[in-house]
PDB file of all heavy atoms in Angstrom:
ATOM      1  N   LEU X 235       5.995   5.001  -7.554  1.00  0.00           N
ATOM      2  CA  LEU X 235       5.420   3.808  -6.940  1.00  0.00           C
ATOM      3  C   LEU X 235       4.210   3.362  -7.742  1.00  0.00           C
ATOM      4  O   LEU X 235       3.342   4.185  -8.056  1.00  0.00           O
ATOM      5  CB  LEU X 235       5.005   4.094  -5.499  1.00  0.00           C
ATOM      6  CG  LEU X 235       6.099   4.646  -4.567  1.00  0.00           C
ATOM      7  CD1 LEU X 235       5.496   5.032  -3.227  1.00  0.00           C
ATOM      8  CD2 LEU X 235       7.208   3.631  -4.389  1.00  0.00           C
ATOM      9  N   VAL X 236       4.135   2.082  -8.025  1.00  0.00           N
ATOM     10  CA  VAL X 236       3.008   1.530  -8.761  1.00  0.00           C
ATOM     11  C   VAL X 236       2.476   0.320  -8.008  1.00  0.00           C
ATOM     12  O   VAL X 236       3.194  -0.679  -7.841  1.00  0.00           O
ATOM     13  CB  VAL X 236       3.405   1.132 -10.189  1.00  0.00           C
ATOM     14  CG1 VAL X 236       2.207   0.523 -10.914  1.00  0.00           C
ATOM     15  CG2 VAL X 236       3.934   2.344 -10.958  1.00  0.00           C
ATOM     16  N   GLU X 237       1.223   0.413  -7.559  1.00  0.00           N
ATOM     17  CA  GLU X 237       0.587  -0.691  -6.843  1.00  0.00           C
ATOM     18  C   GLU X 237      -0.132  -1.611  -7.816  1.00  0.00           C
ATOM     19  O   GLU X 237      -0.568  -1.194  -8.886  1.00  0.00           O
ATOM     20  CB  GLU X 237      -0.429  -0.185  -5.813  1.00  0.00           C
ATOM     21  CG  GLU X 237       0.103   0.769  -4.782  1.00  0.00           C
ATOM     22  CD  GLU X 237      -0.227   2.209  -5.096  1.00  0.00           C
ATOM     23  OE1 GLU X 237      -0.370   2.528  -6.300  1.00  0.00           O
ATOM     24  OE2 GLU X 237      -0.351   3.012  -4.153  1.00  0.00           O
ATOM     25  N   SER X 238      -0.285  -2.853  -7.399  1.00  0.00           N
ATOM     26  CA  SER X 238      -1.063  -3.825  -8.146  1.00  0.00           C
ATOM     27  C   SER X 238      -1.544  -4.901  -7.179  1.00  0.00           C
ATOM     28  O   SER X 238      -1.078  -4.975  -6.042  1.00  0.00           O
ATOM     29  CB  SER X 238      -0.235  -4.452  -9.272  1.00  0.00           C
ATOM     30  OG  SER X 238       0.889  -5.133  -8.741  1.00  0.00           O
ATOM     31  N   GLY X 239      -2.486  -5.715  -7.662  1.00  0.00           N
ATOM     32  CA  GLY X 239      -2.936  -6.843  -6.864  1.00  0.00           C
ATOM     33  C   GLY X 239      -4.287  -6.670  -6.204  1.00  0.00           C
ATOM     34  O   GLY X 239      -4.799  -7.603  -5.585  1.00  0.00           O
ATOM     35  N   GLY X 240      -4.878  -5.499  -6.324  1.00  0.00           N
ATOM     36  CA  GLY X 240      -6.195  -5.305  -5.736  1.00  0.00           C
ATOM     37  C   GLY X 240      -7.262  -6.057  -6.521  1.00  0.00           C
ATOM     38  O   GLY X 240      -7.003  -6.607  -7.594  1.00  0.00           O
ATOM     39  N   GLY X 241      -8.468  -6.077  -5.966  1.00  0.00           N
ATOM     40  CA  GLY X 241      -9.558  -6.743  -6.651  1.00  0.00           C
ATOM     41  C   GLY X 241     -10.710  -7.027  -5.724  1.00  0.00           C
ATOM     42  O   GLY X 241     -10.790  -6.482  -4.624  1.00  0.00           O
ATOM     43  N   LEU X 242     -11.591  -7.897  -6.183  1.00  0.00           N
ATOM     44  CA  LEU X 242     -12.786  -8.290  -5.433  1.00  0.00           C
ATOM     45  C   LEU X 242     -12.559  -9.671  -4.843  1.00  0.00           C
ATOM     46  O   LEU X 242     -12.160 -10.598  -5.553  1.00  0.00           O
ATOM     47  CB  LEU X 242     -13.996  -8.294  -6.359  1.00  0.00           C
ATOM     48  CG  LEU X 242     -15.307  -8.818  -5.771  1.00  0.00           C
ATOM     49  CD1 LEU X 242     -15.784  -7.932  -4.632  1.00  0.00           C
ATOM     50  CD2 LEU X 242     -16.370  -8.914  -6.870  1.00  0.00           C
ATOM     51  N   VAL X 243     -12.818  -9.808  -3.549  1.00  0.00           N
ATOM     52  CA  VAL X 243     -12.618 -11.084  -2.874  1.00  0.00           C
ATOM     53  C   VAL X 243     -13.735 -11.269  -1.846  1.00  0.00           C
ATOM     54  O   VAL X 243     -14.260 -10.286  -1.316  1.00  0.00           O
ATOM     55  CB  VAL X 243     -11.233 -11.140  -2.200  1.00  0.00           C
ATOM     56  CG1 VAL X 243     -11.104 -10.091  -1.115  1.00  0.00           C
ATOM     57  CG2 VAL X 243     -10.911 -12.523  -1.666  1.00  0.00           C
ATOM     58  N   GLN X 244     -14.079 -12.499  -1.586  1.00  0.00           N
ATOM     59  CA  GLN X 244     -15.098 -12.780  -0.573  1.00  0.00           C
ATOM     60  C   GLN X 244     -14.499 -12.692   0.831  1.00  0.00           C
ATOM     61  O   GLN X 244     -13.296 -12.899   1.017  1.00  0.00           O
ATOM     62  CB  GLN X 244     -15.693 -14.168  -0.796  1.00  0.00           C
ATOM     63  CG  GLN X 244     -16.597 -14.262  -2.012  1.00  0.00           C
ATOM     64  CD  GLN X 244     -17.327 -15.591  -2.077  1.00  0.00           C
ATOM     65  OE1 GLN X 244     -16.830 -16.602  -1.597  1.00  0.00           O
ATOM     66  NE2 GLN X 244     -18.509 -15.584  -2.677  1.00  0.00           N
ATOM     67  N   ALA X 245     -15.350 -12.411   1.782  1.00  0.00           N
ATOM     68  CA  ALA X 245     -14.907 -12.371   3.175  1.00  0.00           C
ATOM     69  C   ALA X 245     -14.231 -13.691   3.540  1.00  0.00           C
ATOM     70  O   ALA X 245     -14.715 -14.767   3.171  1.00  0.00           O
ATOM     71  CB  ALA X 245     -16.081 -12.098   4.096  1.00  0.00           C
ATOM     72  N   GLY X 246     -13.117 -13.582   4.244  1.00  0.00           N
ATOM     73  CA  GLY X 246     -12.333 -14.749   4.607  1.00  0.00           C
ATOM     74  C   GLY X 246     -11.236 -15.078   3.618  1.00  0.00           C
ATOM     75  O   GLY X 246     -10.369 -15.913   3.907  1.00  0.00           O
ATOM     76  N   GLY X 247     -11.267 -14.430   2.480  1.00  0.00           N
ATOM     77  CA  GLY X 247     -10.274 -14.686   1.448  1.00  0.00           C
ATOM     78  C   GLY X 247      -8.997 -13.903   1.662  1.00  0.00           C
ATOM     79  O   GLY X 247      -8.832 -13.205   2.669  1.00  0.00           O
ATOM     80  N   SER X 248      -8.096 -14.029   0.698  1.00  0.00           N
ATOM     81  CA  SER X 248      -6.784 -13.397   0.787  1.00  0.00           C
ATOM     82  C   SER X 248      -6.459 -12.656  -0.502  1.00  0.00           C
ATOM     83  O   SER X 248      -6.952 -13.013  -1.584  1.00  0.00           O
ATOM     84  CB  SER X 248      -5.696 -14.450   1.033  1.00  0.00           C
ATOM     85  OG  SER X 248      -5.903 -15.131   2.249  1.00  0.00           O
ATOM     86  N   LEU X 249      -5.620 -11.654  -0.359  1.00  0.00           N
ATOM     87  CA  LEU X 249      -5.063 -10.930  -1.499  1.00  0.00           C
ATOM     88  C   LEU X 249      -3.625 -10.553  -1.153  1.00  0.00           C
ATOM     89  O   LEU X 249      -3.299 -10.353   0.018  1.00  0.00           O
ATOM     90  CB  LEU X 249      -5.843  -9.645  -1.797  1.00  0.00           C
ATOM     91  CG  LEU X 249      -7.154  -9.728  -2.565  1.00  0.00           C
ATOM     92  CD1 LEU X 249      -7.795  -8.344  -2.632  1.00  0.00           C
ATOM     93  CD2 LEU X 249      -6.955 -10.298  -3.953  1.00  0.00           C
ATOM     94  N   ARG X 250      -2.802 -10.440  -2.182  1.00  0.00           N
ATOM     95  CA  ARG X 250      -1.459  -9.918  -1.987  1.00  0.00           C
ATOM     96  C   ARG X 250      -1.273  -8.700  -2.873  1.00  0.00           C
ATOM     97  O   ARG X 250      -1.351  -8.811  -4.095  1.00  0.00           O
ATOM     98  CB  ARG X 250      -0.382 -10.952  -2.288  1.00  0.00           C
ATOM     99  CG  ARG X 250       1.007 -10.447  -1.886  1.00  0.00           C
ATOM    100  CD  ARG X 250       2.102 -11.470  -2.081  1.00  0.00           C
ATOM    101  NE  ARG X 250       2.579 -11.516  -3.458  1.00  0.00           N
ATOM    102  CZ  ARG X 250       3.793 -11.921  -3.815  1.00  0.00           C
ATOM    103  NH1 ARG X 250       4.661 -12.305  -2.878  1.00  0.00           N
ATOM    104  NH2 ARG X 250       4.151 -11.950  -5.084  1.00  0.00           N
ATOM    105  N   LEU X 251      -1.013  -7.579  -2.241  1.00  0.00           N
ATOM    106  CA  LEU X 251      -0.737  -6.353  -2.967  1.00  0.00           C
ATOM    107  C   LEU X 251       0.767  -6.220  -3.188  1.00  0.00           C
ATOM    108  O   LEU X 251       1.565  -6.626  -2.343  1.00  0.00           O
ATOM    109  CB  LEU X 251      -1.250  -5.145  -2.199  1.00  0.00           C
ATOM    110  CG  LEU X 251      -2.719  -5.149  -1.786  1.00  0.00           C
ATOM    111  CD1 LEU X 251      -3.081  -3.843  -1.089  1.00  0.00           C
ATOM    112  CD2 LEU X 251      -3.636  -5.400  -2.959  1.00  0.00           C
ATOM    113  N   SER X 252       1.107  -5.630  -4.314  1.00  0.00           N
ATOM    114  CA  SER X 252       2.505  -5.361  -4.625  1.00  0.00           C
ATOM    115  C   SER X 252       2.677  -3.885  -4.913  1.00  0.00           C
ATOM    116  O   SER X 252       1.766  -3.223  -5.414  1.00  0.00           O
ATOM    117  CB  SER X 252       2.959  -6.162  -5.853  1.00  0.00           C
ATOM    118  OG  SER X 252       2.829  -7.544  -5.643  1.00  0.00           O
ATOM    119  N   CYS X 253       3.852  -3.380  -4.611  1.00  0.00           N
ATOM    120  CA  CYS X 253       4.183  -1.990  -4.913  1.00  0.00           C
ATOM    121  C   CYS X 253       5.611  -1.958  -5.441  1.00  0.00           C
ATOM    122  O   CYS X 253       6.555  -2.243  -4.703  1.00  0.00           O
ATOM    123  CB  CYS X 253       4.048  -1.111  -3.686  1.00  0.00           C
ATOM    124  SG  CYS X 253       4.593   0.589  -3.931  1.00  0.00           S
ATOM    125  N   ALA X 254       5.736  -1.644  -6.715  1.00  0.00           N
ATOM    126  CA  ALA X 254       7.043  -1.584  -7.344  1.00  0.00           C
ATOM    127  C   ALA X 254       7.555  -0.153  -7.338  1.00  0.00           C
ATOM    128  O   ALA X 254       6.853   0.763  -7.776  1.00  0.00           O
ATOM    129  CB  ALA X 254       6.963  -2.112  -8.768  1.00  0.00           C
ATOM    130  N   ALA X 255       8.764   0.022  -6.849  1.00  0.00           N
ATOM    131  CA  ALA X 255       9.377   1.345  -6.783  1.00  0.00           C
ATOM    132  C   ALA X 255      10.408   1.497  -7.886  1.00  0.00           C
ATOM    133  O   ALA X 255      11.141   0.561  -8.204  1.00  0.00           O
ATOM    134  CB  ALA X 255      10.028   1.551  -5.422  1.00  0.00           C
ATOM    135  N   SER X 256      10.477   2.688  -8.453  1.00  0.00           N
ATOM    136  CA  SER X 256      11.478   2.990  -9.470  1.00  0.00           C
ATOM    137  C   SER X 256      11.978   4.417  -9.246  1.00  0.00           C
ATOM    138  O   SER X 256      11.385   5.196  -8.518  1.00  0.00           O
ATOM    139  CB  SER X 256      10.914   2.827 -10.884  1.00  0.00           C
ATOM    140  OG  SER X 256       9.820   3.703 -11.078  1.00  0.00           O
ATOM    141  N   GLY X 257      13.084   4.736  -9.887  1.00  0.00           N
ATOM    142  CA  GLY X 257      13.682   6.052  -9.704  1.00  0.00           C
ATOM    143  C   GLY X 257      14.805   5.981  -8.690  1.00  0.00           C
ATOM    144  O   GLY X 257      15.608   5.062  -8.706  1.00  0.00           O
ATOM    145  N   ARG X 258      14.855   6.927  -7.761  1.00  0.00           N
ATOM    146  CA  ARG X 258      15.924   7.021  -6.784  1.00  0.00           C
ATOM    147  C   ARG X 258      15.683   6.074  -5.609  1.00  0.00           C
ATOM    148  O   ARG X 258      15.641   6.478  -4.455  1.00  0.00           O
ATOM    149  CB  ARG X 258      16.068   8.442  -6.281  1.00  0.00           C
ATOM    150  CG  ARG X 258      16.524   9.421  -7.352  1.00  0.00           C
ATOM    151  CD  ARG X 258      16.534  10.857  -6.837  1.00  0.00           C
ATOM    152  NE  ARG X 258      17.422  11.035  -5.702  1.00  0.00           N
ATOM    153  CZ  ARG X 258      18.706  11.316  -5.798  1.00  0.00           C
ATOM    154  NH1 ARG X 258      19.277  11.436  -6.993  1.00  0.00           N
ATOM    155  NH2 ARG X 258      19.451  11.485  -4.711  1.00  0.00           N
ATOM    156  N   THR X 259      15.555   4.795  -5.921  1.00  0.00           N
ATOM    157  CA  THR X 259      15.198   3.818  -4.892  1.00  0.00           C
ATOM    158  C   THR X 259      16.323   3.558  -3.903  1.00  0.00           C
ATOM    159  O   THR X 259      16.084   3.064  -2.815  1.00  0.00           O
ATOM    160  CB  THR X 259      14.772   2.503  -5.532  1.00  0.00           C
ATOM    161  OG1 THR X 259      15.827   2.035  -6.376  1.00  0.00           O
ATOM    162  CG2 THR X 259      13.502   2.674  -6.353  1.00  0.00           C
ATOM    163  N   PHE X 260      17.553   3.897  -4.265  1.00  0.00           N
ATOM    164  CA  PHE X 260      18.661   3.652  -3.347  1.00  0.00           C
ATOM    165  C   PHE X 260      18.545   4.492  -2.093  1.00  0.00           C
ATOM    166  O   PHE X 260      19.162   4.207  -1.077  1.00  0.00           O
ATOM    167  CB  PHE X 260      19.997   3.936  -4.040  1.00  0.00           C
ATOM    168  CG  PHE X 260      20.164   5.372  -4.472  1.00  0.00           C
ATOM    169  CD1 PHE X 260      20.653   6.330  -3.603  1.00  0.00           C
ATOM    170  CD2 PHE X 260      19.807   5.764  -5.748  1.00  0.00           C
ATOM    171  CE1 PHE X 260      20.804   7.640  -4.002  1.00  0.00           C
ATOM    172  CE2 PHE X 260      19.952   7.070  -6.157  1.00  0.00           C
ATOM    173  CZ  PHE X 260      20.454   8.016  -5.282  1.00  0.00           C
ATOM    174  N   SER X 261      17.753   5.558  -2.161  1.00  0.00           N
ATOM    175  CA  SER X 261      17.607   6.446  -1.015  1.00  0.00           C
ATOM    176  C   SER X 261      16.411   6.085  -0.142  1.00  0.00           C
ATOM    177  O   SER X 261      16.134   6.770   0.829  1.00  0.00           O
ATOM    178  CB  SER X 261      17.452   7.897  -1.491  1.00  0.00           C
ATOM    179  OG  SER X 261      16.246   8.051  -2.221  1.00  0.00           O
ATOM    180  N   THR X 262      15.739   4.989  -0.469  1.00  0.00           N
ATOM    181  CA  THR X 262      14.531   4.629   0.285  1.00  0.00           C
ATOM    182  C   THR X 262      14.884   4.226   1.706  1.00  0.00           C
ATOM    183  O   THR X 262      15.757   3.381   1.925  1.00  0.00           O
ATOM    184  CB  THR X 262      13.793   3.477  -0.405  1.00  0.00           C
ATOM    185  OG1 THR X 262      13.431   3.895  -1.727  1.00  0.00           O
ATOM    186  CG2 THR X 262      12.536   3.101   0.365  1.00  0.00           C
ATOM    187  N   TYR X 263      14.208   4.816   2.660  1.00  0.00           N
ATOM    188  CA  TYR X 263      14.410   4.478   4.069  1.00  0.00           C
ATOM    189  C   TYR X 263      13.291   3.591   4.584  1.00  0.00           C
ATOM    190  O   TYR X 263      13.541   2.648   5.324  1.00  0.00           O
ATOM    191  CB  TYR X 263      14.473   5.748   4.905  1.00  0.00           C
ATOM    192  CG  TYR X 263      14.692   5.479   6.369  1.00  0.00           C
ATOM    193  CD1 TYR X 263      15.965   5.235   6.862  1.00  0.00           C
ATOM    194  CD2 TYR X 263      13.622   5.447   7.255  1.00  0.00           C
ATOM    195  CE1 TYR X 263      16.170   4.962   8.200  1.00  0.00           C
ATOM    196  CE2 TYR X 263      13.820   5.176   8.590  1.00  0.00           C
ATOM    197  CZ  TYR X 263      15.096   4.940   9.060  1.00  0.00           C
ATOM    198  OH  TYR X 263      15.298   4.664  10.382  1.00  0.00           O
ATOM    199  N   ALA X 264      12.080   3.904   4.209  1.00  0.00           N
ATOM    200  CA  ALA X 264      10.932   3.129   4.684  1.00  0.00           C
ATOM    201  C   ALA X 264       9.846   3.135   3.622  1.00  0.00           C
ATOM    202  O   ALA X 264       9.750   4.062   2.815  1.00  0.00           O
ATOM    203  CB  ALA X 264      10.387   3.713   5.982  1.00  0.00           C
ATOM    204  N   MET X 265       9.049   2.096   3.634  1.00  0.00           N
ATOM    205  CA  MET X 265       7.867   2.023   2.771  1.00  0.00           C
ATOM    206  C   MET X 265       6.695   1.566   3.611  1.00  0.00           C
ATOM    207  O   MET X 265       6.858   0.818   4.580  1.00  0.00           O
ATOM    208  CB  MET X 265       8.092   1.077   1.596  1.00  0.00           C
ATOM    209  CG  MET X 265       9.155   1.579   0.634  1.00  0.00           C
ATOM    210  SD  MET X 265       9.272   0.599  -0.870  1.00  0.00           S
ATOM    211  CE  MET X 265       7.765   1.082  -1.717  1.00  0.00           C
ATOM    212  N   GLY X 266       5.541   2.026   3.222  1.00  0.00           N
ATOM    213  CA  GLY X 266       4.362   1.686   4.010  1.00  0.00           C
ATOM    214  C   GLY X 266       3.136   1.517   3.149  1.00  0.00           C
ATOM    215  O   GLY X 266       3.133   1.834   1.949  1.00  0.00           O
ATOM    216  N   TRP X 267       2.106   0.983   3.771  1.00  0.00           N
ATOM    217  CA  TRP X 267       0.783   0.842   3.152  1.00  0.00           C
ATOM    218  C   TRP X 267      -0.223   1.603   4.014  1.00  0.00           C
ATOM    219  O   TRP X 267      -0.231   1.468   5.247  1.00  0.00           O
ATOM    220  CB  TRP X 267       0.363  -0.621   3.067  1.00  0.00           C
ATOM    221  CG  TRP X 267       1.111  -1.417   2.044  1.00  0.00           C
ATOM    222  CD1 TRP X 267       2.195  -2.222   2.245  1.00  0.00           C
ATOM    223  CD2 TRP X 267       0.806  -1.509   0.645  1.00  0.00           C
ATOM    224  NE1 TRP X 267       2.593  -2.793   1.065  1.00  0.00           N
ATOM    225  CE2 TRP X 267       1.753  -2.379   0.064  1.00  0.00           C
ATOM    226  CE3 TRP X 267      -0.170  -0.949  -0.177  1.00  0.00           C
ATOM    227  CZ2 TRP X 267       1.750  -2.702  -1.293  1.00  0.00           C
ATOM    228  CZ3 TRP X 267      -0.171  -1.264  -1.520  1.00  0.00           C
ATOM    229  CH2 TRP X 267       0.773  -2.127  -2.066  1.00  0.00           C
ATOM    230  N   PHE X 268      -1.044   2.366   3.323  1.00  0.00           N
ATOM    231  CA  PHE X 268      -2.154   3.050   3.954  1.00  0.00           C
ATOM    232  C   PHE X 268      -3.414   2.670   3.182  1.00  0.00           C
ATOM    233  O   PHE X 268      -3.333   2.164   2.065  1.00  0.00           O
ATOM    234  CB  PHE X 268      -1.954   4.575   3.896  1.00  0.00           C
ATOM    235  CG  PHE X 268      -0.865   5.080   4.805  1.00  0.00           C
ATOM    236  CD1 PHE X 268       0.464   4.890   4.486  1.00  0.00           C
ATOM    237  CD2 PHE X 268      -1.173   5.746   5.977  1.00  0.00           C
ATOM    238  CE1 PHE X 268       1.483   5.340   5.321  1.00  0.00           C
ATOM    239  CE2 PHE X 268      -0.179   6.217   6.819  1.00  0.00           C
ATOM    240  CZ  PHE X 268       1.152   6.002   6.486  1.00  0.00           C
ATOM    241  N   ARG X 269      -4.554   2.948   3.766  1.00  0.00           N
ATOM    242  CA  ARG X 269      -5.800   2.678   3.049  1.00  0.00           C
ATOM    243  C   ARG X 269      -6.803   3.772   3.365  1.00  0.00           C
ATOM    244  O   ARG X 269      -6.744   4.416   4.411  1.00  0.00           O
ATOM    245  CB  ARG X 269      -6.362   1.310   3.421  1.00  0.00           C
ATOM    246  CG  ARG X 269      -6.911   1.207   4.831  1.00  0.00           C
ATOM    247  CD  ARG X 269      -7.337  -0.218   5.121  1.00  0.00           C
ATOM    248  NE  ARG X 269      -8.054  -0.319   6.395  1.00  0.00           N
ATOM    249  CZ  ARG X 269      -8.467  -1.464   6.913  1.00  0.00           C
ATOM    250  NH1 ARG X 269      -8.223  -2.616   6.286  1.00  0.00           N
ATOM    251  NH2 ARG X 269      -9.105  -1.476   8.070  1.00  0.00           N
ATOM    252  N   GLN X 270      -7.736   3.936   2.432  1.00  0.00           N
ATOM    253  CA  GLN X 270      -8.761   4.961   2.596  1.00  0.00           C
ATOM    254  C   GLN X 270     -10.090   4.426   2.091  1.00  0.00           C
ATOM    255  O   GLN X 270     -10.218   4.087   0.913  1.00  0.00           O
ATOM    256  CB  GLN X 270      -8.381   6.237   1.851  1.00  0.00           C
ATOM    257  CG  GLN X 270      -9.299   7.397   2.118  1.00  0.00           C
ATOM    258  CD  GLN X 270      -8.726   8.711   1.619  1.00  0.00           C
ATOM    259  OE1 GLN X 270      -7.814   8.743   0.798  1.00  0.00           O
ATOM    260  NE2 GLN X 270      -9.244   9.820   2.134  1.00  0.00           N
ATOM    261  N   ALA X 271     -11.040   4.367   2.992  1.00  0.00           N
ATOM    262  CA  ALA X 271     -12.402   3.964   2.648  1.00  0.00           C
ATOM    263  C   ALA X 271     -13.218   5.222   2.362  1.00  0.00           C
ATOM    264  O   ALA X 271     -12.873   6.313   2.827  1.00  0.00           O
ATOM    265  CB  ALA X 271     -13.014   3.181   3.802  1.00  0.00           C
ATOM    266  N   PRO X 272     -14.300   5.103   1.613  1.00  0.00           N
ATOM    267  CA  PRO X 272     -15.114   6.270   1.268  1.00  0.00           C
ATOM    268  C   PRO X 272     -15.576   7.026   2.501  1.00  0.00           C
ATOM    269  O   PRO X 272     -16.092   6.438   3.454  1.00  0.00           O
ATOM    270  CB  PRO X 272     -16.303   5.657   0.521  1.00  0.00           C
ATOM    271  CG  PRO X 272     -15.771   4.403  -0.045  1.00  0.00           C
ATOM    272  CD  PRO X 272     -14.800   3.878   0.968  1.00  0.00           C
ATOM    273  N   GLY X 273     -15.363   8.336   2.495  1.00  0.00           N
ATOM    274  CA  GLY X 273     -15.800   9.171   3.596  1.00  0.00           C
ATOM    275  C   GLY X 273     -14.908   9.155   4.817  1.00  0.00           C
ATOM    276  O   GLY X 273     -15.198   9.846   5.804  1.00  0.00           O
ATOM    277  N   LEU X 274     -13.828   8.400   4.760  1.00  0.00           N
ATOM    278  CA  LEU X 274     -12.934   8.292   5.912  1.00  0.00           C
ATOM    279  C   LEU X 274     -11.544   8.809   5.558  1.00  0.00           C
ATOM    280  O   LEU X 274     -11.187   8.922   4.390  1.00  0.00           O
ATOM    281  CB  LEU X 274     -12.838   6.851   6.394  1.00  0.00           C
ATOM    282  CG  LEU X 274     -14.135   6.193   6.843  1.00  0.00           C
ATOM    283  CD1 LEU X 274     -13.881   4.753   7.272  1.00  0.00           C
ATOM    284  CD2 LEU X 274     -14.787   6.976   7.975  1.00  0.00           C
ATOM    285  N   GLU X 275     -10.771   9.095   6.591  1.00  0.00           N
ATOM    286  CA  GLU X 275      -9.400   9.535   6.368  1.00  0.00           C
ATOM    287  C   GLU X 275      -8.503   8.358   5.994  1.00  0.00           C
ATOM    288  O   GLU X 275      -8.790   7.207   6.316  1.00  0.00           O
ATOM    289  CB  GLU X 275      -8.866  10.211   7.630  1.00  0.00           C
ATOM    290  CG  GLU X 275      -9.527  11.535   7.961  1.00  0.00           C
ATOM    291  CD  GLU X 275      -8.820  12.272   9.076  1.00  0.00           C
ATOM    292  OE1 GLU X 275      -7.876  11.695   9.655  1.00  0.00           O
ATOM    293  OE2 GLU X 275      -9.209  13.411   9.368  1.00  0.00           O
ATOM    294  N   ARG X 276      -7.428   8.700   5.342  1.00  0.00           N
ATOM    295  CA  ARG X 276      -6.443   7.677   5.004  1.00  0.00           C
ATOM    296  C   ARG X 276      -5.772   7.202   6.295  1.00  0.00           C
ATOM    297  O   ARG X 276      -5.317   8.008   7.095  1.00  0.00           O
ATOM    298  CB  ARG X 276      -5.409   8.240   4.034  1.00  0.00           C
ATOM    299  CG  ARG X 276      -4.526   7.207   3.388  1.00  0.00           C
ATOM    300  CD  ARG X 276      -3.704   7.803   2.265  1.00  0.00           C
ATOM    301  NE  ARG X 276      -4.542   8.366   1.214  1.00  0.00           N
ATOM    302  CZ  ARG X 276      -4.063   8.816   0.050  1.00  0.00           C
ATOM    303  NH1 ARG X 276      -2.764   8.757  -0.187  1.00  0.00           N
ATOM    304  NH2 ARG X 276      -4.877   9.329  -0.850  1.00  0.00           N
ATOM    305  N   GLU X 277      -5.714   5.883   6.474  1.00  0.00           N
ATOM    306  CA  GLU X 277      -5.190   5.353   7.724  1.00  0.00           C
ATOM    307  C   GLU X 277      -4.027   4.400   7.484  1.00  0.00           C
ATOM    308  O   GLU X 277      -3.924   3.755   6.443  1.00  0.00           O
ATOM    309  CB  GLU X 277      -6.296   4.627   8.502  1.00  0.00           C
ATOM    310  CG  GLU X 277      -6.866   3.411   7.803  1.00  0.00           C
ATOM    311  CD  GLU X 277      -7.892   2.673   8.658  1.00  0.00           C
ATOM    312  OE1 GLU X 277      -8.144   3.093   9.805  1.00  0.00           O
ATOM    313  OE2 GLU X 277      -8.433   1.663   8.165  1.00  0.00           O
ATOM    314  N   PHE X 278      -3.194   4.311   8.484  1.00  0.00           N
ATOM    315  CA  PHE X 278      -2.012   3.469   8.413  1.00  0.00           C
ATOM    316  C   PHE X 278      -2.381   1.990   8.462  1.00  0.00           C
ATOM    317  O   PHE X 278      -3.277   1.592   9.221  1.00  0.00           O
ATOM    318  CB  PHE X 278      -1.089   3.805   9.589  1.00  0.00           C
ATOM    319  CG  PHE X 278       0.081   2.894   9.748  1.00  0.00           C
ATOM    320  CD1 PHE X 278       1.192   3.018   8.930  1.00  0.00           C
ATOM    321  CD2 PHE X 278       0.077   1.896  10.716  1.00  0.00           C
ATOM    322  CE1 PHE X 278       2.278   2.175   9.079  1.00  0.00           C
ATOM    323  CE2 PHE X 278       1.160   1.050  10.876  1.00  0.00           C
ATOM    324  CZ  PHE X 278       2.251   1.190  10.046  1.00  0.00           C
ATOM    325  N   VAL X 279      -1.685   1.194   7.667  1.00  0.00           N
ATOM    326  CA  VAL X 279      -1.892  -0.256   7.674  1.00  0.00           C
ATOM    327  C   VAL X 279      -0.625  -0.967   8.164  1.00  0.00           C
ATOM    328  O   VAL X 279      -0.666  -1.731   9.122  1.00  0.00           O
ATOM    329  CB  VAL X 279      -2.254  -0.771   6.271  1.00  0.00           C
ATOM    330  CG1 VAL X 279      -2.364  -2.295   6.282  1.00  0.00           C
ATOM    331  CG2 VAL X 279      -3.557  -0.143   5.789  1.00  0.00           C
ATOM    332  N   ALA X 280       0.477  -0.725   7.492  1.00  0.00           N
ATOM    333  CA  ALA X 280       1.734  -1.397   7.841  1.00  0.00           C
ATOM    334  C   ALA X 280       2.901  -0.653   7.208  1.00  0.00           C
ATOM    335  O   ALA X 280       2.718   0.082   6.238  1.00  0.00           O
ATOM    336  CB  ALA X 280       1.719  -2.854   7.360  1.00  0.00           C
ATOM    337  N   ALA X 281       4.096  -0.868   7.764  1.00  0.00           N
ATOM    338  CA  ALA X 281       5.297  -0.234   7.212  1.00  0.00           C
ATOM    339  C   ALA X 281       6.496  -1.126   7.459  1.00  0.00           C
ATOM    340  O   ALA X 281       6.471  -2.012   8.319  1.00  0.00           O
ATOM    341  CB  ALA X 281       5.518   1.140   7.832  1.00  0.00           C
TER     342      ALA X 281
END
């Protein structure tokens, strides 16, 4: 999995992240996004 699309944006703005999958992708059942802020646990965003 390779993510892209992150960056610096002002409050109220928008970003679109992408995640390209390669390899045994035919077996993929689900994909999700998580995030982790400094000092915090990784948390679920969407799937």
Side-chain angles (χ1 to χ4, degrees):
L235 304 173
V236 178
E237 303 101 332
S238 61
L242 174 64
V243 63
Q244 288 189 331
S248 299
L249 280 175
R250 188 176 82 154
L251 306 183
S252 300
C253 174
S256 60
R258 294 175 60 87
T259 56
F260 63 86
S261 65
T262 300
Y263 181 82
M265 294 188 72
W267 288 97
F268 289 75
R269 70 185 188 184
Q270 188 167 18
L274 300 179
E275 292 189 355
R276 193 170 300 188
E277 63 176 359
F278 172 78
V279 176

